[in-house]
mmCIF file of all heavy atoms in Angstrom:
data_model
loop_
_atom_site.group_PDB
_atom_site.id
_atom_site.type_symbol
_atom_site.label_atom_id
_atom_site.label_comp_id
_atom_site.label_asym_id
_atom_site.label_seq_id
_atom_site.Cartn_x
_atom_site.Cartn_y
_atom_site.Cartn_z
ATOM 1 N N ASP A 46 -15.448 14.182 -3.386
ATOM 2 C CA ASP A 46 -14.820 14.096 -2.067
ATOM 3 C C ASP A 46 -15.361 12.842 -1.380
ATOM 4 O O ASP A 46 -16.539 12.780 -1.009
ATOM 5 C CB ASP A 46 -15.157 15.354 -1.255
ATOM 6 C CG ASP A 46 -14.589 15.302 0.153
ATOM 7 O OD1 ASP A 46 -13.895 14.322 0.500
ATOM 8 O OD2 ASP A 46 -14.859 16.259 0.919
ATOM 9 N N LEU A 47 -14.497 11.843 -1.216
ATOM 10 C CA LEU A 47 -14.953 10.566 -0.666
ATOM 11 C C LEU A 47 -15.283 10.634 0.821
ATOM 12 O O LEU A 47 -15.855 9.677 1.364
ATOM 13 C CB LEU A 47 -13.903 9.473 -0.925
ATOM 14 C CG LEU A 47 -13.660 9.135 -2.396
ATOM 15 C CD1 LEU A 47 -12.582 8.065 -2.533
ATOM 16 C CD2 LEU A 47 -14.953 8.677 -3.069
ATOM 17 N N THR A 48 -14.964 11.737 1.480
ATOM 18 C CA THR A 48 -15.409 11.896 2.873
ATOM 19 C C THR A 48 -16.837 12.436 2.938
ATOM 20 O O THR A 48 -17.425 12.521 4.014
ATOM 21 C CB THR A 48 -14.480 12.840 3.668
ATOM 22 O OG1 THR A 48 -14.556 14.151 3.123
ATOM 23 C CG2 THR A 48 -13.034 12.352 3.629
ATOM 24 N N ASP A 49 -17.400 12.793 1.786
ATOM 25 C CA ASP A 49 -18.771 13.296 1.688
ATOM 26 C C ASP A 49 -19.706 12.110 1.420
ATOM 27 O O ASP A 49 -19.728 11.563 0.318
ATOM 28 C CB ASP A 49 -18.848 14.318 0.548
ATOM 29 C CG ASP A 49 -20.223 14.976 0.428
ATOM 30 O OD1 ASP A 49 -21.243 14.306 0.705
ATOM 31 O OD2 ASP A 49 -20.278 16.150 0.021
ATOM 32 N N THR A 50 -20.468 11.723 2.422
ATOM 33 C CA THR A 50 -21.313 10.537 2.329
ATOM 34 C C THR A 50 -22.330 10.629 1.208
ATOM 35 O O THR A 50 -22.447 9.729 0.372
ATOM 36 C CB THR A 50 -22.043 10.287 3.664
ATOM 37 O OG1 THR A 50 -21.074 10.168 4.716
ATOM 38 C CG2 THR A 50 -22.874 9.016 3.600
ATOM 39 N N ALA A 51 -23.088 11.703 1.175
ATOM 40 C CA ALA A 51 -24.151 11.847 0.179
ATOM 41 C C ALA A 51 -23.589 11.853 -1.239
ATOM 42 O O ALA A 51 -24.138 11.209 -2.148
ATOM 43 C CB ALA A 51 -24.949 13.117 0.443
ATOM 44 N N ALA A 52 -22.498 12.582 -1.446
ATOM 45 C CA ALA A 52 -21.910 12.683 -2.784
ATOM 46 C C ALA A 52 -21.364 11.335 -3.246
ATOM 47 O O ALA A 52 -21.530 10.948 -4.419
ATOM 48 C CB ALA A 52 -20.796 13.726 -2.787
ATOM 49 N N THR A 53 -20.726 10.608 -2.334
ATOM 50 C CA THR A 53 -20.157 9.305 -2.693
ATOM 51 C C THR A 53 -21.266 8.311 -3.034
ATOM 52 O O THR A 53 -21.183 7.579 -4.025
ATOM 53 C CB THR A 53 -19.289 8.763 -1.544
ATOM 54 O OG1 THR A 53 -18.264 9.721 -1.230
ATOM 55 C CG2 THR A 53 -18.632 7.444 -1.933
ATOM 56 N N ARG A 54 -22.296 8.287 -2.211
ATOM 57 C CA ARG A 54 -23.429 7.385 -2.489
ATOM 58 C C ARG A 54 -24.073 7.710 -3.834
ATOM 59 O O ARG A 54 -24.381 6.806 -4.617
ATOM 60 C CB ARG A 54 -24.484 7.519 -1.385
ATOM 61 C CG ARG A 54 -24.122 6.862 -0.068
ATOM 62 C CD ARG A 54 -25.234 7.085 0.940
ATOM 63 N NE ARG A 54 -24.927 6.479 2.231
ATOM 64 C CZ ARG A 54 -25.677 6.624 3.314
ATOM 65 N NH1 ARG A 54 -26.784 7.365 3.259
ATOM 66 N NH2 ARG A 54 -25.338 6.048 4.448
ATOM 67 N N ALA A 55 -24.263 8.995 -4.103
ATOM 68 C CA ALA A 55 -24.927 9.402 -5.345
ATOM 69 C C ALA A 55 -24.083 9.024 -6.565
ATOM 70 O O ALA A 55 -24.613 8.528 -7.567
ATOM 71 C CB ALA A 55 -25.195 10.899 -5.323
ATOM 72 N N TRP A 56 -22.773 9.240 -6.470
ATOM 73 C CA TRP A 56 -21.896 8.932 -7.606
ATOM 74 C C TRP A 56 -21.864 7.423 -7.869
ATOM 75 O O TRP A 56 -21.941 6.986 -9.027
ATOM 76 C CB TRP A 56 -20.485 9.451 -7.339
ATOM 77 C CG TRP A 56 -19.569 9.264 -8.517
ATOM 78 C CD1 TRP A 56 -19.457 10.082 -9.599
ATOM 79 C CD2 TRP A 56 -18.674 8.172 -8.718
ATOM 80 N NE1 TRP A 56 -18.534 9.568 -10.484
ATOM 81 C CE2 TRP A 56 -18.032 8.398 -9.977
ATOM 82 C CE3 TRP A 56 -18.341 7.035 -7.992
ATOM 83 C CZ2 TRP A 56 -17.079 7.531 -10.502
ATOM 84 C CZ3 TRP A 56 -17.388 6.152 -8.510
ATOM 85 C CH2 TRP A 56 -16.777 6.404 -9.747
ATOM 86 N N LEU A 57 -21.795 6.627 -6.812
ATOM 87 C CA LEU A 57 -21.776 5.172 -6.979
ATOM 88 C C LEU A 57 -23.103 4.666 -7.540
ATOM 89 O O LEU A 57 -23.124 3.763 -8.391
ATOM 90 C CB LEU A 57 -21.468 4.489 -5.645
ATOM 91 C CG LEU A 57 -19.991 4.490 -5.243
ATOM 92 C CD1 LEU A 57 -19.826 4.108 -3.776
ATOM 93 C CD2 LEU A 57 -19.194 3.535 -6.128
ATOM 94 N N ALA A 58 -24.197 5.236 -7.069
ATOM 95 C CA ALA A 58 -25.520 4.817 -7.557
ATOM 96 C C ALA A 58 -25.687 5.126 -9.035
ATOM 97 O O ALA A 58 -26.342 4.383 -9.774
ATOM 98 C CB ALA A 58 -26.614 5.510 -6.746
ATOM 99 N N THR A 59 -25.074 6.221 -9.487
ATOM 100 C CA THR A 59 -25.178 6.623 -10.893
ATOM 101 C C THR A 59 -24.186 5.868 -11.777
ATOM 102 O O THR A 59 -24.526 5.421 -12.876
ATOM 103 C CB THR A 59 -24.920 8.138 -11.034
ATOM 104 O OG1 THR A 59 -25.877 8.848 -10.247
ATOM 105 C CG2 THR A 59 -25.026 8.570 -12.481
ATOM 106 N N THR A 60 -22.970 5.703 -11.275
ATOM 107 C CA THR A 60 -21.888 5.128 -12.086
ATOM 108 C C THR A 60 -21.944 3.604 -12.135
ATOM 109 O O THR A 60 -21.667 2.997 -13.175
ATOM 110 C CB THR A 60 -20.523 5.590 -11.551
ATOM 111 O OG1 THR A 60 -20.527 7.023 -11.407
ATOM 112 C CG2 THR A 60 -19.396 5.180 -12.482
ATOM 113 N N ARG A 61 -22.252 2.982 -11.010
ATOM 114 C CA ARG A 61 -22.424 1.535 -10.895
ATOM 115 C C ARG A 61 -21.297 0.716 -11.549
ATOM 116 O O ARG A 61 -21.514 -0.060 -12.479
ATOM 117 C CB ARG A 61 -23.762 1.099 -11.503
ATOM 118 C CG ARG A 61 -24.994 1.543 -10.759
ATOM 119 C CD ARG A 61 -25.198 0.787 -9.477
ATOM 120 N NE ARG A 61 -25.306 -0.647 -9.728
ATOM 121 C CZ ARG A 61 -26.409 -1.261 -10.130
ATOM 122 N NH1 ARG A 61 -27.517 -0.557 -10.344
ATOM 123 N NH2 ARG A 61 -26.416 -2.569 -10.314
ATOM 124 N N PRO A 62 -20.054 0.859 -11.075
ATOM 125 C CA PRO A 62 -18.992 0.000 -11.599
ATOM 126 C C PRO A 62 -19.266 -1.456 -11.212
ATOM 127 O O PRO A 62 -20.008 -1.728 -10.261
ATOM 128 C CB PRO A 62 -17.739 0.527 -10.910
ATOM 129 C CG PRO A 62 -18.242 1.156 -9.640
ATOM 130 C CD PRO A 62 -19.571 1.746 -9.999
ATOM 131 N N ASP A 63 -18.673 -2.393 -11.951
ATOM 132 C CA ASP A 63 -18.836 -3.811 -11.610
ATOM 133 C C ASP A 63 -17.985 -4.202 -10.416
ATOM 134 O O ASP A 63 -18.342 -5.093 -9.647
ATOM 135 C CB ASP A 63 -18.452 -4.688 -12.811
ATOM 136 C CG ASP A 63 -19.357 -4.459 -13.997
ATOM 137 O OD1 ASP A 63 -20.568 -4.707 -13.864
ATOM 138 O OD2 ASP A 63 -18.864 -4.005 -15.048
#
Side-chain angles (χ1 to χ4, degrees):
D46 177 2
L47 295 179
T48 65
D49 184 326
T50 303
T53 303
R54 285 179 180 174
W56 185 83
L57 281 166
T59 301
T60 309
R61 292 287 302 279
D63 297 299

